[in-house]
Amino acid sequence: LYAYVAIGDLIDARRAGRRNAEAIAFDLYVPARLPPGFEPSSARALGGQTPGSSAELRYERGDEVVFVVVQASPSEIVTPARTGDPASGCRFHPLLGVSSNFYGGPCRHRVAPSGREWIEGEAPTAGNPGRRVAFVILDRSFVALYHPGLADAELEVFVDSLERRDPGEIDFRS
C-alpha cells in the first residue's frame, strides 16, 4: 500500500512540476559545467499563485549545497555600478508587483574572466551565516546562485557556464 502512495505522490509531483515548467515565461539558464565534485540533485519549477514563476535547481558536493534560482528579470535594479555610489548597496524588485525585494543589502560588482558580469552579495541564514549569493541578469532572466562561500574560481565556473535551456529538457518536480 505504501509503495502505491509513494508512486502516486511521485507522479503528482512530476505532473505539477511539468505544468509549472510549461508556464515559465522567462529564459531558463542552468550551469552547463560544474566545479569538480558537484552533482545536480534536484530541479523544481515553482508556481504558487503564479505558475512557472521560478525554477530552483540544486547542486551538491558532500555537505556543500548550491541553489540556482531563476526568475523573470526584476522591474527595478539598483546596484553601485548603476548609481555610481559604491555605498548604495543593491536592491532588486520583482516584476509582478510584489512589494518585497528579491534582495536588498551590501554587494559588489564582479566580472568573470569571460567578461560576464554579476553582482555578489551576502545572504546569511541562521544555519549558514557565511552564505553568499551571486546575481546574474541575462536577457529576460534573473539568476541567483546561493552558495556556502565557494572560492572565486568555483563560483566563476557556475556563473560563466550558465546557458539557456528549454524547460522541457529538465526533469522538474514540484
Side-chain angles (χ1 to χ4, degrees):
L1 176 65
Y2 293 115
Y4 291 117
V5 171
I7 291 170
D9 289 346
L10 177 62
I11 291 170
D12 288 346
R14 284 193 170 161
R15 283 182 183 153
R18 246 190 327 269
R19 275 193 308 274
N20 284 330
E22 289 168 359
I24 289 176
F26 52 86
D27 294 326
L28 179 63
Y29 283 86
V30 300
R33 292 185 339 262
L34 300 172
F38 274 96
E39 296 290 333
S41 64
S42 67
R44 299 185 316 152
L46 307 174
Q49 294 180 349
T50 308
S53 60
S54 67
E56 178 185 283
L57 300 106
R58 179 181 167 123
Y59 301 89
E60 297 181 14
R61 176 176 66 190
D63 291 341
E64 293 179 294
V65 177
V66 173
F67 287 101
V68 177
V69 179
V70 188
Q71 298 173 276
S73 286
S75 59
E76 180 186 19
I77 301 168
V78 176
T79 67
R82 289 178 182 227
T83 64
D85 176 8
S88 71
C90 289
R91 278 191 324 278
F92 304 104
H93 288 283
L95 267 177
L96 302 174
V98 178
S99 61
S100 65
N101 292 341
F102 280 145
Y103 177 81
C107 64
R108 66 185 179 130
H109 182 254
R110 304 284 308 269
V111 180
S114 69
R116 180 170 279 168
E117 298 182 43
W118 84 91
I119 304 295
E120 186 173 33
E122 300 171 6
T125 64
N128 188 353
R131 186 173 82 154
R132 304 195 54 77
V133 61
F135 300 106
V136 186
I137 299 168
L138 300 164
D139 302 322
R140 303 177 303 137
S141 302
F142 181 72
V143 181
L145 294 97
Y146 293 91
H147 63 94
L150 295 176
D152 284 350
E154 290 184 314
L155 186 56
E156 288 171 356
V157 170
F158 274 104
V159 170
D160 266 347
S161 74
L162 289 170
E163 289 183 348
R164 186 178 301 150
R165 295 279 298 275
D166 184 299
E169 296 176 27
I170 299 184
D171 182 17
F172 282 113
R173 297 174 189 196
S174 154

